[in-house]
Amino acid sequence: MEQVSKNESKTKIRLAEPEIFKVILLNDDYTTQEFVVSVLISVFHKPVKEAESIMLSVHNSGRATVGLYSLDIAQTYVEQVHSLAQSRGFPLRCFLEKQ
Ligand code: TYC
């Protein structure tokens, strides 16, 4: 417990809640499953089993949330996915959604 003396005034500063964004990954018919798993590992730092599970969710359901991130991290990850996919000629897409 914080000690506050009788005459000490306490100023509370309420910081704005950080905005959180979902990164949503989309299915397509051309990107290989192996490539999607490799992107989930290398860009999003997912363990192999989780990467495989997310990839299969997207493959079976059309889309899945990869994770929740601050805006700058989410934007960076989306750019990295699109850049890696483009370099390999895959149409893999993902996007941000505000929580
Ligand atoms: N549907 C793709 C295939 O069968 C695999 C895939 C999974 C593609 C997830 C994109 O986000 C994706 N080759």
Side-chain angles (χ1 to χ4, degrees):
M1 244 326 186
E2 194 180 340
Q3 296 287 330
V4 183
S5 73
K6 261 189 182 163
N7 296 324
E8 194 180 333
S9 67
K10 224 182 167 190
T11 307
K12 282 194 177 163
I13 299 169
R14 194 173 292 282
L15 297 173
E17 293 290 322
E19 292 192 306
I20 303 297
F21 291 81
K22 282 181 186 169
V23 173
I24 296 171
L25 186 62
L26 296 176
N27 190 33
D28 67 74
D29 291 336
Y30 304 101
T31 307
T32 63
Q33 296 192 350
E34 292 75 13
F35 179 76
V36 176
V37 170
S38 76
V39 162
L40 290 166
I41 294 168
S42 66
V43 174
F44 296 93
H45 313 289
K46 297 291 183 185
V48 175
K49 292 285 172 213
E50 193 183 340
E52 289 170 346
S53 164
I54 294 169
M55 183 281 294
L56 284 175
S57 292
V58 179
H59 179 69
N60 292 322
S61 306
R63 62 176 59 193
T65 299
V66 178
L68 302 173
Y69 306 98
S70 65
L71 179 60
D72 57 334
I73 300 279
Q75 284 174 329
T76 300
Y77 286 174
V78 167
E79 281 171 18
Q80 288 177 354
V81 170
H82 293 160
S83 165
L84 282 169
Q86 194 178 34
S87 74
R88 291 283 304 274
F90 290 131
L92 182 64
R93 302 300 294 174
C94 56
F95 64 94
L96 303 189
E97 193 172 272
K98 195 162 180 311
Q99 247 299 69

